[in-house]
Amino acid sequence: MTPSSQAIRSLAVMTSGGDAPGMNAAIRAVVRRAISRGLKVYGIRRGWLGAVEGGDAIVAMDWDSVGGILQRGGTILGTARCRRFRTREGRRQAAVNLYTQDIDALVVIGGDGSLTGALILQDEWPGLLQEAADAGEVILHEDPPRPLRIVGLPGSIDNDTYGSDMSIGADTALHRIVTAADQLTSTASAHQRTFIVEVMGRNCGYLALAGGLASGAHWVIIPEEGLDARWHQRMVKSLLRGRQAGRQHALVIMAEGARHPDGLPLEADIVKGLLEKQLGETRITVLGHVQRGGSPSAFDRILSMILGAAAVDYLLDTKDPQPVMMGLRENQVVATPLHDVIENSRKIVAMVDAGDYTTALQLRGVSFRSQLQVLKTLTAPGPMQELNQGNLLILTAGHDAPGMNAAVRVATRMAMDRGFRVLGGEYGFEGLLEGRIRELRWMDVTGWASRGGSELGTSFYTLQEQDLVTLEKVLTSHEISHMLIIGGTSVYRNANLILSRLHAHPRLRMPTVLVPATINNNVPGTDFAIGADTALNNIVQAVDKLKDTAAANKRLFIVQVMGYHSGFLAVMAGLASGAEDVFIPEEGISLDQIVEQVKKLRVSFARGRRLSIIILNEEVSKTYDIHMIQRIMEREGGDLFDVRSIILGHIQRGGAPTPFDRILAARLASSAVETLASADWDASPVRVVGLRGNQIRSESLESALTEMAWPLERPKDAWFMEYLELVRTLEI
Ligand code: ADP
């Protein structure tokens, strides 16, 4: 066997550079996956500094050493910046320390800098060890020594790492930004104030852009967009026009790395000076380290776990010794050579430095550019052209979902920008049949980005054949020419009925686009529906609180979540909260399974476990409902643990939408308007827009419905099912 093809035996994990929420979830996944695959695992404290120092900084990790850390911000291993590691002497010391502990492989969680260090160490490894052997610092067991295997994970709140659509920590940072912006907006509008919020991102405008889009900011300044000499005049003019149109406040979000047209740093104070002259009182809020802090969002926990487990699998299953970084691209785990990651991540910085903003924006990718485009239209204070393209009806229907308002806001403004007159239908299909329609103007939707529920009102109503005559009358009397309907499965069902009766009701034939919005995420044509991420975060936060109450007792919590016939919420919440198991409708549940589960729980509680969580979907079984399962487990668990059942109910739907849901709403709604304005409408009058990977696509309703598993109303091959095994192998 050549050295490179030998299997690894032990692995070390470290976090390095700037800390990011979610790093703990990644450490936990690496440690537990590695243990369950038979590897010895070490943790290196304080990143490269610990590798150089060795000794106590390299600690053996076991299953329990990563228990209870999923919801904690920061990193239990600590992180540091290390100058010595930048020298060959420092790296030689690190190589000696790793080699003497028999560490074959490293999982490095960090940003560009940390991953660059990893690449250099890997490259120099044989040479460093040889030098150390010659100097008598180490005895080599093999000649040449086997290569050091390295897998990186993108850990950076800035989201500036090439090779992953999102880096660990970025989503949580967005949560902090959006919460702060929402709070500032409420105080700013009370005083007609202008607020400047400076967010992190030395070279990357992602947080400013996505934070601006999600919070409904009125102007955004990012490093990737070159400012010309007159930029501030345009900014002031736009904000003034907004005020004249009735806006009570203004919110400007800028990245810390924003630059003047000459390339020098643009300070928030300068922007404040420019605004104050024309708009009066202006305040600066620098969010700083608040963005790094606190408990990771559901997405960051899930991303970290998926990538952490994938890193270990890659090290064991791929014999290619080339260092890679695991990332999530288009909703798939992808390994990218570390060399490419570093080269491309740096290229963008170099382009911004050189003032080549076009290339920098190009390298950021389609989704970044399209978000920028949407933001530009939304921040304009009024429509660009006459409203002569027809009357667009916007409806929110079915159960409400957080993010519906954000979608209506964006759709209204994008549609007006495209020349549509916009009408809002109140209370879904039921209200529509009663003719409850009102005009929506540009300023009517101000502030809707952050509001939960549905401002238009919604209702759960299944259209009947006989309703179609009334529907035709209402739509005709308001001269509706286009429709945009936001909602879940009931919307799909109603639209399908309309589609199948067009021959009898020809006036219902008009360009119609469905925008998926349901916390259950059980609609076809999209990987994610608006509202699902908020529900997931609501569940995860509730389970975190339950965990705190359990500290003193040995306790099993059975938590029932929504989802209807889809296990999406249960599986993803199970992953993000470290559940022992999930019971989902895709698998069903039997008495044997429940008994099997109790046996496992008895063993683990007898061994000292203090807390366990099982997540149960609401529709999993009519016979074995949550109370029945609780009774069985209580009876069979005996004195070993007590059992509590919690039905989360409507709390899951509540609260302000998460940044992900707001951004998804903005992207889907703007694409829906594009589709209405430009698609070939002869083929099929009803289309669905959805997020596939990281692209927004539109397809006919007929084609989307082929993905449905009738009559259960859930997608046939749901992508999240592949994470079920991960829930069951990582546990609390
Ligand atoms: P981040 O990983 O968040 O980008 P830094 O850029 O500060 O953070 O890098 C973290 C650490 O990685 C540094 O303190 C240093 O130890 C190591 N490192 C960064 N760049 C290099 C390099 N070019 N060569 C060797 N080590 C490096």
Side-chain angles (χ1 to χ4, degrees), residues 418-459:
R418 279 294 201 146
F420 289 101
R421 184 170 160 251
V422 181
L423 300 161
E426 296 173 338
Y427 299 102
F429 281 99
E430 206 169 7
L432 188 60
L433 291 171
E434 293 163 8
R436 301 184 64 165
I437 290 176
R438 63 172 150 121
E439 184 158 0
L440 289 177
R441 295 187 192 85
W442 196 273
M443 282 297 160
D444 291 341
V445 291
T446 287
W448 284 26
S450 58
R451 286 190 213 163
S454 167
E455 291 286 318
L456 281 177
T458 180
S459 64

mmCIF file of all heavy atoms in Angstrom, residues 418-459:
data_model
loop_
_atom_site.group_PDB
_atom_site.id
_atom_site.type_symbol
_atom_site.label_atom_id
_atom_site.label_comp_id
_atom_site.label_asym_id
_atom_site.label_seq_id
_atom_site.Cartn_x
_atom_site.Cartn_y
_atom_site.Cartn_z
ATOM 1 N N ARG A 418 -43.026 47.170 -12.756
ATOM 2 C CA ARG A 418 -43.222 46.577 -14.081
ATOM 3 C C ARG A 418 -44.458 47.137 -14.785
ATOM 4 O O ARG A 418 -44.835 46.681 -15.856
ATOM 5 C CB ARG A 418 -43.407 45.058 -13.936
ATOM 6 C CG ARG A 418 -42.116 44.300 -13.791
ATOM 7 C CD ARG A 418 -41.329 44.420 -15.059
ATOM 8 N NE ARG A 418 -40.348 43.371 -15.204
ATOM 9 C CZ ARG A 418 -40.028 42.858 -16.380
ATOM 10 N NH1 ARG A 418 -40.645 43.243 -17.475
ATOM 11 N NH2 ARG A 418 -39.100 41.953 -16.458
ATOM 12 N N GLY A 419 -45.139 48.068 -14.129
ATOM 13 C CA GLY A 419 -46.283 48.713 -14.775
ATOM 14 C C GLY A 419 -47.639 48.097 -14.475
ATOM 15 O O GLY A 419 -48.626 48.394 -15.154
ATOM 16 N N PHE A 420 -47.735 47.235 -13.460
ATOM 17 C CA PHE A 420 -49.043 46.677 -13.089
ATOM 18 C C PHE A 420 -49.712 47.573 -12.036
ATOM 19 O O PHE A 420 -49.035 48.135 -11.175
ATOM 20 C CB PHE A 420 -48.900 45.286 -12.456
ATOM 21 C CG PHE A 420 -48.501 44.206 -13.414
ATOM 22 C CD1 PHE A 420 -47.183 43.769 -13.477
ATOM 23 C CD2 PHE A 420 -49.455 43.616 -14.251
ATOM 24 C CE1 PHE A 420 -46.811 42.764 -14.354
ATOM 25 C CE2 PHE A 420 -49.086 42.601 -15.122
ATOM 26 C CZ PHE A 420 -47.761 42.177 -15.180
ATOM 27 N N ARG A 421 -51.037 47.642 -12.113
ATOM 28 C CA ARG A 421 -51.794 48.184 -10.994
ATOM 29 C C ARG A 421 -52.018 46.994 -10.067
ATOM 30 O O ARG A 421 -52.359 45.902 -10.538
ATOM 31 C CB ARG A 421 -53.114 48.729 -11.516
ATOM 32 C CG ARG A 421 -53.939 49.404 -10.473
ATOM 33 C CD ARG A 421 -55.114 50.128 -11.139
ATOM 34 N NE ARG A 421 -56.128 50.362 -10.132
ATOM 35 C CZ ARG A 421 -57.294 49.745 -10.066
ATOM 36 N NH1 ARG A 421 -57.645 48.863 -11.003
ATOM 37 N NH2 ARG A 421 -58.130 50.020 -9.107
ATOM 38 N N VAL A 422 -51.813 47.187 -8.752
ATOM 39 C CA VAL A 422 -51.865 46.032 -7.850
ATOM 40 C C VAL A 422 -53.097 46.088 -6.951
ATOM 41 O O VAL A 422 -53.392 47.119 -6.337
ATOM 42 C CB VAL A 422 -50.585 45.952 -6.983
ATOM 43 C CG1 VAL A 422 -50.646 44.735 -6.055
ATOM 44 C CG2 VAL A 422 -49.347 45.863 -7.870
ATOM 45 N N LEU A 423 -53.797 44.976 -6.892
ATOM 46 C CA LEU A 423 -54.956 44.852 -6.016
ATOM 47 C C LEU A 423 -54.698 43.720 -5.032
ATOM 48 O O LEU A 423 -54.150 42.684 -5.407
ATOM 49 C CB LEU A 423 -56.207 44.545 -6.843
ATOM 50 C CG LEU A 423 -56.536 45.632 -7.876
ATOM 51 C CD1 LEU A 423 -57.452 45.097 -8.952
ATOM 52 C CD2 LEU A 423 -57.154 46.841 -7.197
ATOM 53 N N GLY A 424 -55.069 43.933 -3.798
ATOM 54 C CA GLY A 424 -54.877 42.887 -2.792
ATOM 55 C C GLY A 424 -56.215 42.255 -2.451
ATOM 56 O O GLY A 424 -57.183 42.965 -2.169
ATOM 57 N N GLY A 425 -56.266 40.939 -2.492
ATOM 58 C CA GLY A 425 -57.495 40.237 -2.087
ATOM 59 C C GLY A 425 -57.423 39.970 -0.589
ATOM 60 O O GLY A 425 -56.387 39.543 -0.086
ATOM 61 N N GLU A 426 -58.505 40.261 0.124
ATOM 62 C CA GLU A 426 -58.476 40.053 1.580
ATOM 63 C C GLU A 426 -59.058 38.688 1.948
ATOM 64 O O GLU A 426 -60.028 38.234 1.355
ATOM 65 C CB GLU A 426 -59.281 41.154 2.269
ATOM 66 C CG GLU A 426 -58.648 42.519 2.059
ATOM 67 C CD GLU A 426 -59.515 43.651 2.602
ATOM 68 O OE1 GLU A 426 -60.740 43.467 2.759
ATOM 69 O OE2 GLU A 426 -58.952 44.716 2.846
ATOM 70 N N TYR A 427 -58.459 38.051 2.954
ATOM 71 C CA TYR A 427 -58.941 36.767 3.494
ATOM 72 C C TYR A 427 -59.022 35.650 2.451
ATOM 73 O O TYR A 427 -60.020 34.925 2.374
ATOM 74 C CB TYR A 427 -60.283 36.952 4.225
ATOM 75 C CG TYR A 427 -60.112 37.891 5.379
ATOM 76 C CD1 TYR A 427 -60.527 39.204 5.280
ATOM 77 C CD2 TYR A 427 -59.454 37.476 6.532
ATOM 78 C CE1 TYR A 427 -60.306 40.097 6.316
ATOM 79 C CE2 TYR A 427 -59.222 38.370 7.568
ATOM 80 C CZ TYR A 427 -59.654 39.677 7.454
ATOM 81 O OH TYR A 427 -59.412 40.550 8.470
ATOM 82 N N GLY A 428 -58.013 35.531 1.672
ATOM 83 C CA GLY A 428 -57.868 34.383 0.776
ATOM 84 C C GLY A 428 -59.033 34.194 -0.171
ATOM 85 O O GLY A 428 -59.711 35.153 -0.559
ATOM 86 N N PHE A 429 -59.274 32.942 -0.548
ATOM 87 C CA PHE A 429 -60.322 32.651 -1.543
ATOM 88 C C PHE A 429 -61.715 32.971 -1.003
ATOM 89 O O PHE A 429 -62.597 33.389 -1.743
ATOM 90 C CB PHE A 429 -60.244 31.183 -1.982
ATOM 91 C CG PHE A 429 -59.149 30.946 -2.982
ATOM 92 C CD1 PHE A 429 -57.920 30.441 -2.581
ATOM 93 C CD2 PHE A 429 -59.335 31.251 -4.325
ATOM 94 C CE1 PHE A 429 -56.898 30.237 -3.501
ATOM 95 C CE2 PHE A 429 -58.318 31.049 -5.256
ATOM 96 C CZ PHE A 429 -57.097 30.533 -4.834
ATOM 97 N N GLU A 430 -61.886 32.777 0.297
ATOM 98 C CA GLU A 430 -63.204 33.042 0.879
ATOM 99 C C GLU A 430 -63.550 34.530 0.738
ATOM 100 O O GLU A 430 -64.649 34.883 0.291
ATOM 101 C CB GLU A 430 -63.198 32.638 2.357
ATOM 102 C CG GLU A 430 -64.563 32.292 2.857
ATOM 103 C CD GLU A 430 -64.508 31.629 4.231
ATOM 104 O OE1 GLU A 430 -63.417 31.561 4.837
ATOM 105 O OE2 GLU A 430 -65.577 31.201 4.677
ATOM 106 N N GLY A 431 -62.591 35.372 1.082
ATOM 107 C CA GLY A 431 -62.810 36.816 0.952
ATOM 108 C C GLY A 431 -62.977 37.218 -0.505
ATOM 109 O O GLY A 431 -63.769 38.100 -0.843
ATOM 110 N N LEU A 432 -62.231 36.563 -1.345
ATOM 111 C CA LEU A 432 -62.284 36.894 -2.770
ATOM 112 C C LEU A 432 -63.686 36.653 -3.328
ATOM 113 O O LEU A 432 -64.226 37.463 -4.086
ATOM 114 C CB LEU A 432 -61.249 36.032 -3.511
ATOM 115 C CG LEU A 432 -61.022 36.350 -4.977
ATOM 116 C CD1 LEU A 432 -60.538 37.782 -5.151
ATOM 117 C CD2 LEU A 432 -59.980 35.393 -5.573
ATOM 118 N N LEU A 433 -64.280 35.535 -2.916
ATOM 119 C CA LEU A 433 -65.627 35.217 -3.395
ATOM 120 C C LEU A 433 -66.633 36.273 -2.924
ATOM 121 O O LEU A 433 -67.660 36.494 -3.556
ATOM 122 C CB LEU A 433 -66.061 33.823 -2.902
ATOM 123 C CG LEU A 433 -65.286 32.665 -3.533
ATOM 124 C CD1 LEU A 433 -65.618 31.355 -2.833
ATOM 125 C CD2 LEU A 433 -65.579 32.555 -5.033
ATOM 126 N N GLU A 434 -66.304 36.929 -1.814
ATOM 127 C CA GLU A 434 -67.193 38.004 -1.330
ATOM 128 C C GLU A 434 -66.816 39.346 -1.939
ATOM 129 O O GLU A 434 -67.345 40.392 -1.554
ATOM 130 C CB GLU A 434 -67.084 38.122 0.197
ATOM 131 C CG GLU A 434 -67.624 36.915 0.936
ATOM 132 C CD GLU A 434 -67.149 36.869 2.383
ATOM 133 O OE1 GLU A 434 -66.531 37.849 2.873
ATOM 134 O OE2 GLU A 434 -67.388 35.829 3.023
ATOM 135 N N GLY A 435 -65.841 39.326 -2.837
ATOM 136 C CA GLY A 435 -65.447 40.563 -3.530
ATOM 137 C C GLY A 435 -64.596 41.494 -2.680
ATOM 138 O O GLY A 435 -64.553 42.700 -2.912
ATOM 139 N N ARG A 436 -63.896 40.955 -1.671
ATOM 140 C CA ARG A 436 -63.106 41.818 -0.802
ATOM 141 C C ARG A 436 -61.736 42.083 -1.414
ATOM 142 O O ARG A 436 -60.780 41.345 -1.225
ATOM 143 C CB ARG A 436 -62.979 41.177 0.586
ATOM 144 C CG ARG A 436 -64.342 40.962 1.206
ATOM 145 C CD ARG A 436 -64.247 40.429 2.583
ATOM 146 N NE ARG A 436 -63.588 41.393 3.469
ATOM 147 C CZ ARG A 436 -63.626 41.299 4.792
ATOM 148 N NH1 ARG A 436 -64.290 40.313 5.361
ATOM 149 N NH2 ARG A 436 -63.012 42.184 5.537
ATOM 150 N N ILE A 437 -61.694 43.160 -2.167
ATOM 151 C CA ILE A 437 -60.471 43.502 -2.904
ATOM 152 C C ILE A 437 -60.170 44.987 -2.679
ATOM 153 O O ILE A 437 -61.070 45.808 -2.697
ATOM 154 C CB ILE A 437 -60.689 43.242 -4.417
ATOM 155 C CG1 ILE A 437 -60.765 41.728 -4.670
ATOM 156 C CG2 ILE A 437 -59.585 43.866 -5.258
ATOM 157 C CD1 ILE A 437 -61.060 41.351 -6.097
ATOM 158 N N ARG A 438 -58.894 45.307 -2.412
ATOM 159 C CA ARG A 438 -58.529 46.727 -2.290
ATOM 160 C C ARG A 438 -57.221 46.993 -3.023
ATOM 161 O O ARG A 438 -56.414 46.079 -3.209
ATOM 162 C CB ARG A 438 -58.400 47.118 -0.813
ATOM 163 C CG ARG A 438 -57.301 46.365 -0.085
ATOM 164 C CD ARG A 438 -57.103 46.936 1.307
ATOM 165 N NE ARG A 438 -56.644 45.926 2.247
ATOM 166 C CZ ARG A 438 -55.491 46.021 2.926
ATOM 167 N NH1 ARG A 438 -54.705 47.040 2.763
ATOM 168 N NH2 ARG A 438 -55.138 45.076 3.777
ATOM 169 N N GLU A 439 -57.047 48.258 -3.404
ATOM 170 C CA GLU A 439 -55.820 48.579 -4.135
ATOM 171 C C GLU A 439 -54.630 48.637 -3.169
ATOM 172 O O GLU A 439 -54.767 49.062 -2.019
ATOM 173 C CB GLU A 439 -55.972 49.923 -4.858
ATOM 174 C CG GLU A 439 -54.744 50.232 -5.690
ATOM 175 C CD GLU A 439 -54.973 51.224 -6.820
ATOM 176 O OE1 GLU A 439 -56.111 51.704 -6.984
ATOM 177 O OE2 GLU A 439 -53.993 51.501 -7.537
ATOM 178 N N LEU A 440 -53.487 48.164 -3.629
ATOM 179 C CA LEU A 440 -52.258 48.270 -2.839
ATOM 180 C C LEU A 440 -51.335 49.256 -3.550
ATOM 181 O O LEU A 440 -51.004 49.055 -4.720
ATOM 182 C CB LEU A 440 -51.567 46.912 -2.739
ATOM 183 C CG LEU A 440 -52.235 45.837 -1.867
ATOM 184 C CD1 LEU A 440 -51.457 44.530 -1.952
ATOM 185 C CD2 LEU A 440 -52.318 46.298 -0.409
ATOM 186 N N ARG A 441 -50.929 50.285 -2.825
ATOM 187 C CA ARG A 441 -49.989 51.247 -3.409
ATOM 188 C C ARG A 441 -48.619 51.088 -2.756
ATOM 189 O O ARG A 441 -48.485 50.391 -1.764
ATOM 190 C CB ARG A 441 -50.510 52.675 -3.238
ATOM 191 C CG ARG A 441 -51.785 52.906 -4.011
ATOM 192 C CD ARG A 441 -52.207 54.358 -3.991
ATOM 193 N NE ARG A 441 -53.564 54.447 -4.502
ATOM 194 C CZ ARG A 441 -54.657 54.277 -3.764
ATOM 195 N NH1 ARG A 441 -54.551 54.019 -2.478
ATOM 196 N NH2 ARG A 441 -55.850 54.366 -4.311
ATOM 197 N N TRP A 442 -47.656 51.757 -3.375
ATOM 198 C CA TRP A 442 -46.250 51.596 -2.962
ATOM 199 C C TRP A 442 -46.064 51.699 -1.448
ATOM 200 O O TRP A 442 -45.443 50.849 -0.812
ATOM 201 C CB TRP A 442 -45.406 52.660 -3.681
ATOM 202 C CG TRP A 442 -43.940 52.372 -3.638
ATOM 203 C CD1 TRP A 442 -43.064 52.721 -2.652
ATOM 204 C CD2 TRP A 442 -43.184 51.661 -4.621
ATOM 205 N NE1 TRP A 442 -41.805 52.280 -2.969
ATOM 206 C CE2 TRP A 442 -41.850 51.634 -4.179
ATOM 207 C CE3 TRP A 442 -43.491 51.064 -5.839
ATOM 208 C CZ2 TRP A 442 -40.828 51.033 -4.905
ATOM 209 C CZ3 TRP A 442 -42.468 50.470 -6.561
ATOM 210 C CH2 TRP A 442 -41.165 50.442 -6.094
ATOM 211 N N MET A 443 -46.625 52.745 -0.847
ATOM 212 C CA MET A 443 -46.393 52.981 0.574
ATOM 213 C C MET A 443 -47.312 52.147 1.480
ATOM 214 O O MET A 443 -47.106 52.090 2.684
ATOM 215 C CB MET A 443 -46.540 54.471 0.904
ATOM 216 C CG MET A 443 -45.331 55.267 0.507
ATOM 217 S SD MET A 443 -43.865 54.736 1.444
ATOM 218 C CE MET A 443 -42.563 55.355 0.396
ATOM 219 N N ASP A 444 -48.332 51.513 0.889
ATOM 220 C CA ASP A 444 -49.231 50.684 1.711
ATOM 221 C C ASP A 444 -48.505 49.489 2.324
ATOM 222 O O ASP A 444 -48.951 48.925 3.319
ATOM 223 C CB ASP A 444 -50.402 50.129 0.868
ATOM 224 C CG ASP A 444 -51.362 51.225 0.457
ATOM 225 O OD1 ASP A 444 -51.340 52.290 1.103
ATOM 226 O OD2 ASP A 444 -52.121 51.019 -0.507
ATOM 227 N N VAL A 445 -47.425 49.072 1.677
ATOM 228 C CA VAL A 445 -46.748 47.860 2.155
ATOM 229 C C VAL A 445 -45.468 48.179 2.943
ATOM 230 O O VAL A 445 -44.686 47.294 3.259
ATOM 231 C CB VAL A 445 -46.430 46.898 0.976
ATOM 232 C CG1 VAL A 445 -47.714 46.308 0.418
ATOM 233 C CG2 VAL A 445 -45.645 47.606 -0.118
ATOM 234 N N THR A 446 -45.279 49.445 3.263
ATOM 235 C CA THR A 446 -44.116 49.837 4.060
ATOM 236 C C THR A 446 -44.113 49.105 5.405
ATOM 237 O O THR A 446 -45.147 49.022 6.056
ATOM 238 C CB THR A 446 -44.142 51.363 4.295
ATOM 239 O OG1 THR A 446 -43.795 51.976 3.077
ATOM 240 C CG2 THR A 446 -43.162 51.804 5.364
ATOM 241 N N GLY A 447 -42.965 48.602 5.763
ATOM 242 C CA GLY A 447 -42.834 47.940 7.071
ATOM 243 C C GLY A 447 -43.347 46.501 7.080
ATOM 244 O O GLY A 447 -43.281 45.829 8.103
ATOM 245 N N TRP A 448 -43.825 46.006 5.965
ATOM 246 C CA TRP A 448 -44.387 44.648 5.953
ATOM 247 C C TRP A 448 -43.318 43.556 5.998
ATOM 248 O O TRP A 448 -43.628 42.404 6.300
ATOM 249 C CB TRP A 448 -45.278 44.437 4.712
ATOM 250 C CG TRP A 448 -46.618 45.105 4.830
ATOM 251 C CD1 TRP A 448 -46.917 46.206 5.584
ATOM 252 C CD2 TRP A 448 -47.838 44.720 4.175
ATOM 253 N NE1 TRP A 448 -48.247 46.526 5.436
ATOM 254 C CE2 TRP A 448 -48.838 45.644 4.575
ATOM 255 C CE3 TRP A 448 -48.185 43.701 3.284
ATOM 256 C CZ2 TRP A 448 -50.148 45.558 4.122
ATOM 257 C CZ3 TRP A 448 -49.491 43.624 2.829
ATOM 258 C CH2 TRP A 448 -50.465 44.543 3.244
ATOM 259 N N ALA A 449 -42.060 43.913 5.660
ATOM 260 C CA ALA A 449 -41.016 42.883 5.586
ATOM 261 C C ALA A 449 -40.902 42.123 6.900
ATOM 262 O O ALA A 449 -40.659 40.922 6.918
ATOM 263 C CB ALA A 449 -39.675 43.520 5.236
ATOM 264 N N SER A 450 -41.088 42.821 8.006
ATOM 265 C CA SER A 450 -40.799 42.189 9.298
ATOM 266 C C SER A 450 -42.033 41.634 9.996
ATOM 267 O O SER A 450 -41.919 41.064 11.071
ATOM 268 C CB SER A 450 -40.124 43.223 10.207
ATOM 269 O OG SER A 450 -40.978 44.343 10.337
ATOM 270 N N ARG A 451 -43.211 41.828 9.421
ATOM 271 C CA ARG A 451 -44.415 41.429 10.155
ATOM 272 C C ARG A 451 -44.794 39.968 9.953
ATOM 273 O O ARG A 451 -44.805 39.481 8.823
ATOM 274 C CB ARG A 451 -45.588 42.309 9.738
ATOM 275 C CG ARG A 451 -45.446 43.683 10.340
ATOM 276 C CD ARG A 451 -46.684 44.501 10.156
ATOM 277 N NE ARG A 451 -46.283 45.892 10.009
ATOM 278 C CZ ARG A 451 -47.038 46.838 9.515
ATOM 279 N NH1 ARG A 451 -48.254 46.569 9.109
ATOM 280 N NH2 ARG A 451 -46.586 48.061 9.419
ATOM 281 N N GLY A 452 -45.141 39.298 11.050
ATOM 282 C CA GLY A 452 -45.613 37.919 10.964
ATOM 283 C C GLY A 452 -47.050 37.873 10.477
ATOM 284 O O GLY A 452 -47.678 38.918 10.275
ATOM 285 N N GLY A 453 -47.581 36.674 10.293
ATOM 286 C CA GLY A 453 -48.978 36.523 9.865
ATOM 287 C C GLY A 453 -49.205 37.049 8.461
ATOM 288 O O GLY A 453 -48.283 37.094 7.646
ATOM 289 N N SER A 454 -50.452 37.435 8.161
ATOM 290 C CA SER A 454 -50.745 38.008 6.846
ATOM 291 C C SER A 454 -51.575 39.273 7.023
ATOM 292 O O SER A 454 -52.678 39.237 7.561
ATOM 293 C CB SER A 454 -51.510 37.008 5.980
ATOM 294 O OG SER A 454 -52.037 37.697 4.853
ATOM 295 N N GLU A 455 -51.012 40.399 6.577
ATOM 296 C CA GLU A 455 -51.723 41.677 6.690
ATOM 297 C C GLU A 455 -52.969 41.691 5.819
ATOM 298 O O GLU A 455 -53.953 42.346 6.140
ATOM 299 C CB GLU A 455 -50.800 42.833 6.282
ATOM 300 C CG GLU A 455 -49.666 43.082 7.250
ATOM 301 C CD GLU A 455 -50.117 43.745 8.543
ATOM 302 O OE1 GLU A 455 -50.940 44.671 8.485
ATOM 303 O OE2 GLU A 455 -49.656 43.309 9.614
ATOM 304 N N LEU A 456 -52.919 41.001 4.696
ATOM 305 C CA LEU A 456 -54.091 40.961 3.819
ATOM 306 C C LEU A 456 -55.192 40.089 4.425
ATOM 307 O O LEU A 456 -56.344 40.158 4.032
ATOM 308 C CB LEU A 456 -53.718 40.389 2.449
ATOM 309 C CG LEU A 456 -53.027 41.319 1.452
ATOM 310 C CD1 LEU A 456 -52.659 40.553 0.186
ATOM 311 C CD2 LEU A 456 -53.921 42.505 1.102
ATOM 312 N N GLY A 457 -54.801 39.245 5.337
ATOM 313 C CA GLY A 457 -55.743 38.268 5.882
ATOM 314 C C GLY A 457 -55.738 37.036 5.001
ATOM 315 O O GLY A 457 -55.434 37.104 3.801
ATOM 316 N N THR A 458 -56.042 35.901 5.620
ATOM 317 C CA THR A 458 -56.065 34.673 4.833
ATOM 318 C C THR A 458 -57.156 33.763 5.391
ATOM 319 O O THR A 458 -57.694 34.007 6.467
ATOM 320 C CB THR A 458 -54.670 34.006 4.830
ATOM 321 O OG1 THR A 458 -54.728 32.833 4.066
ATOM 322 C CG2 THR A 458 -54.191 33.675 6.227
ATOM 323 N N SER A 459 -57.509 32.748 4.634
ATOM 324 C CA SER A 459 -58.504 31.795 5.143
ATOM 325 C C SER A 459 -58.211 30.450 4.511
ATOM 326 O O SER A 459 -57.651 30.376 3.415
ATOM 327 C CB SER A 459 -59.915 32.231 4.748
ATOM 328 O OG SER A 459 -60.023 32.195 3.336
#
